[in-house]
Amino acid sequence: MTLHDAQPHGGTADTANTASLDGYAARINALARELGLEFSAVEFELVPDSFMAEIAIYGLPVRMRHWSFGVRYIQQLVHQKMGNSHMFEVMFPGDPCHAYMAERNSVAENTLVTAHVLGHADFASRNALFLRFGAMAGQRILEQSAARAQRLEIALRRHGQEQVEAVLDAALALEQHVDIHAELHRPAYAAVSGPSAAAGTHDGTSMDDPFAQRYRRLPGEAAVLAAHDAARARLAQRPLVPPQPEYDLLWFIAQHGPELADWERDIFLAVREESFYFYPVFACQIMNEGWASYWHARLLREADFLPPALYLSAIKSHSDVVRPYAAEHQQALAVNPYHLGFCMWEHIIDREGLARARQICRDDDDCSFIRNYLDAELADRLGLFVHESRSDGETRLASRDLRAIREAILTPRYNYGAPCIAATLLNDDGSLVLRHDHQRDGRGLDLERAEQVLAYIARVWRRPVTLHTTDFRGTPQILSSKTDGVPEPPEPTASTTPTAAPTQR
């Protein structure tokens, strides 16, 4: 395990600091192996702050470029300038793992980061979700992403920025709408029609059933049944598409877009593949950050080769990372995943041992982790409660009930954080019907933003698109795409819907 500078430096101090860190990193790596951590090789690289910000915004060092990343980049820079954000590292699981550390970090901070990254690498090597999605999406995400970005650049030169960005607008608007229960490389639908797949009568009974035969001979029934049989025959000629609600919208549009060119399908499938890679990071954030924080703290405690001053500085950085609130005597209105995960893993290991913790690390994601292991004692010790924010700006404590706390933490994480929307019918004329399963995800849609996304989809579908949904009051709504004009990029807006979120005192 070695450290590399992203660019050459002429200063003797920088060279000495890198050499010192390299030596500590190698010994921490050996200590981690002794303590039972298992991980692929990790390649560390020291990079400038500007590059760290780009990685955090794009999600990858090299990725398909799009205007929305530029907007996020400006927002990130503002947060950094205001002192509200400090990125120590970004780590990408794989074989090998890649970790980027900010070169302005002190040696103590990057010593802690080294231990933290090894905790992440151990988690990714054990967790079933990381292993499954890593096997599907590949273990060399950086090279794959760079290749996809190169293909996009070719498309930009051939088809122009406006046409390519229209496709990316739609694909990135739907990047969370994948079926996490399906395979990444899945086959097309089998050629089986829905209602006509099984022979029978209109009420589902077999033609050989004696009652059905007598029923067909009743006066006036012959014409009705003949019309029904004719309708079934027409359905048999064209199977229903999709045969059941299809929640993987990126896959469905790539496979069934009436006029999509190959390069357009490639963009949809590329965004979908990256979504599969990132899903475990999203679904296990609390577990993963907590596990890495537990191990960086433990590795630093047991690294007796670290100078006392460096150890104290590194532990102070640890305290800053895992504290529950922004400053002393302040209340946080959001849960810090580092703090919550770290405290939960300590709680589990103290009570049930490290072997049991490793089993949980293997089998769970955040949903099962929070529901099974965030108990009333720990929630009370951490000062967790649910707050409610109203449209008039008032914020008040809503509940200290454990179940409410768990659900408030997990609700934003359900279904990749996206509303449950499925393609339900591809009509003969190529028009598409989408349906929002609001009962499943328990919320309505921001209709203005839903119309914007619908416009993006319609531009690449090139046929009418309809969405059946509800507003935040639960009132049924039907939105239809408008084919005139080019939609403006959506502006990030604060929701006026009353929301509930977990917090800590």
Side-chain angles (χ1 to χ4, degrees), residues 245-247 249 419-425 432-438 441 445 466-470 477-478:
E246 177 58 73
Y247 289 92
L249 299 184
C420 298
I421 295 176
T424 56
L425 183 62
L432 177 63
V433 178
L434 306 175
R435 189 171 295 276
H436 174 210
D437 191 348
H438 59 91
D441 62 34
L445 293 183
T466 302
L467 171 63
H468 295 254
T469 184
T470 66
Q477 302 283 341
I478 300 178

Side-chain angles (χ1 to χ4, degrees), residues 193-375:
S193 57
S196 58
T201 66
H202 66 282
D203 61 356
T205 58
S206 170
M207 289 296 298
D208 297 328
D209 182 85
F211 177 81
Q213 293 178 7
R214 290 197 301 272
Y215 182 81
R216 291 177 67 87
R217 292 195 293 268
L218 290 175
E221 289 299 321
V224 174
L225 292 171
H228 180 75
D229 290 342
R232 283 196 305 162
R234 288 194 299 272
L235 283 173
Q237 296 174 5
R238 187 185 72 84
L240 291 176
V241 177
Q244 61 277 328
E246 177 58 73
Y247 289 92
D248 198 328
L249 299 184
L250 288 172
W251 180 86
F252 183 83
I253 292 174
Q255 294 293 325
H256 297 279
E259 297 181 24
L260 279 184
D262 287 342
W263 67 269
E264 294 174 304
R265 299 181 197 277
D266 183 53
I267 288 176
F268 272 84
L269 294 176
V271 171
R272 178 174 178 265
E273 189 166 347
E274 290 177 356
S275 292
F276 266 69
Y277 174 82
F278 286 119
Y279 176 71
V281 178
F282 174 86
C284 300
Q285 183 193 26
I286 296 171
M287 290 181 70
N288 192 6
E289 296 297 354
W291 187 257
S293 298
Y294 170 83
W295 280 108
H296 80 225
R298 180 164 176 178
L299 286 168
L300 290 176
R301 282 199 307 269
E302 302 197 21
D304 54 10
F305 50 83
L306 296 176
L310 185 145
Y311 170 75
L312 289 175
S313 181
I315 285 298
K316 181 184 182 304
S317 296
H318 160 76
S319 299
D320 291 340
V321 168
V322 301
R323 66 183 178 182
Y325 35 73
E328 190 176 1
H329 304 307
Q330 290 188 4
Q331 288 192 345
L333 295 182
V335 163
N336 177 358
Y338 295 83
H339 177 255
L340 179 58
F342 173 75
C343 293
M344 288 185 66
W345 282 121
E346 279 202 323
H347 190 62
I348 291 167
I349 293 169
D350 287 346
R351 290 190 164 201
E352 303 187 44
L354 187 55
R356 174 59 179 152
R358 284 181 167 139
Q359 183 181 2
I360 295 168
C361 175
R362 181 192 68 197
D363 296 337
D364 285 60
D365 61 7
D366 278 353
C367 287
S368 53
F369 185 63
I370 294 297
R371 287 202 171 103
N372 293 334
Y373 304 105
L374 178 57
D375 57 30

Side-chain angles (χ1 to χ4, degrees), residues 458-484:
R459 287 176 67 184
V460 297
W461 191 259
R462 300 182 178 98
R463 299 286 192 282
V465 183
T466 302
L467 171 63
H468 295 254
T469 184
T470 66
D471 60 19
F472 69 92
R473 297 183 183 87
T475 306
Q477 302 283 341
I478 300 178
L479 306 180
S480 297
S481 62
K482 299 176 177 61
T483 56
D484 55 328

